[in-house]
Amino acid sequence: MSNPEATAAHIGLNIPDFDLMGYYGASYGTMKPYHRVGNLLFLSGHVAQIGAEITHKGRLGATLTTEQGYAAARQTGLNLLGGIRQAVGSLDRVKSMVRTLNFVVCTPDYEEVHKVSSGLSDLLVEVFGPERGLGGRATIGVMALANGVCFETWATVEVE
């Protein structure tokens, strides 16, 4: 079995420490960062943000390209990894990604939402490997998300 913590360090990922800096989602409204039921971990929304700064604002198909959306989804993935670490202490405790539900802010005619979400999925496979890191996924194009972010994910994770 792979060691996700060692993999993340080896590829130089900058994963936020939400125990140190706090989960940024609280600035979006009343919520908790995660909820655990048995071996299932339900994570609240994560977005493309570093500290208080949103890294990718805009709308896919208008002000942002698919490549920029992919980068936003990847940044969101780093925050998701930080959320997992905050909840269970180590990425090594992940048994599998069960599913992600992804939201992409886009124009009505934008049809590449699936390519945007691959920024998140590809990162999870890099860190956890295909057996543990690739789960079910749905991506929905939406008109707006809080504070102008272009991508948000919710995740369910199986943990030890």
Side-chain angles (χ1 to χ4, degrees):
M1 186 176 275
S2 68
N3 180 319
E5 287 289 347
T7 300
H10 176 73
I11 59 179
L13 297 181
N14 187 15
I15 301 171
D17 183 347
F18 292 132
D19 285 332
L20 181 65
M21 60 193 282
Y23 167 62
Y24 58 84
S27 66
Y28 289 89
T30 305
M31 71 181 85
K32 61 183 182 178
Y34 59 86
H35 184 80
R36 186 168 174 181
V37 178
N39 66 339
L40 290 179
L41 177 63
F42 299 88
L43 290 136
S44 288
H46 284 277
V47 298
Q49 187 167 321
I50 298 174
E53 181 184 343
I54 297 167
T55 62
H56 297 83
K57 282 188 173 189
R59 183 176 306 279
L60 278 290
T63 59
L64 295 172
T65 65
T66 299
E67 293 76 20
Q68 290 169 313
Y70 182 97
R74 186 173 176 89
Q75 177 59 49
T76 300
L78 292 173
N79 290 332
L80 181 67
L81 295 174
I84 293 169
R85 222 186 240 165
Q86 179 186 34
V88 297
S90 172
L91 301 178
D92 294 342
R93 298 196 60 208
V94 170
K95 292 177 76 175
S96 69
M97 293 301 302
V98 176
R99 63 106 181 134
T100 61
L101 177 58
N102 305 296
F103 304 91
V104 176
V105 175
C106 60
T107 60
D109 60 339
Y110 183 77
E111 296 181 352
E112 296 189 329
V113 294
H114 59 292
K115 292 180 181 179
V116 171
S117 288
S118 289
L120 170 68
S121 300
D122 291 349
L123 176 67
L124 295 174
V125 169
E126 280 179 54
V127 172
F128 297 110
E131 290 298 313
R132 290 163 62 182
L134 190 58
R137 179 180 96 179
T139 303
I140 301 166
V142 299
M143 293 305 296
L145 290 169
N147 293 339
V149 300
C150 72
F151 185 86
E152 181 173 350
T153 192
W154 301 350
T156 304
V157 184
E158 180 185 15
V159 296
E160 294 178 348

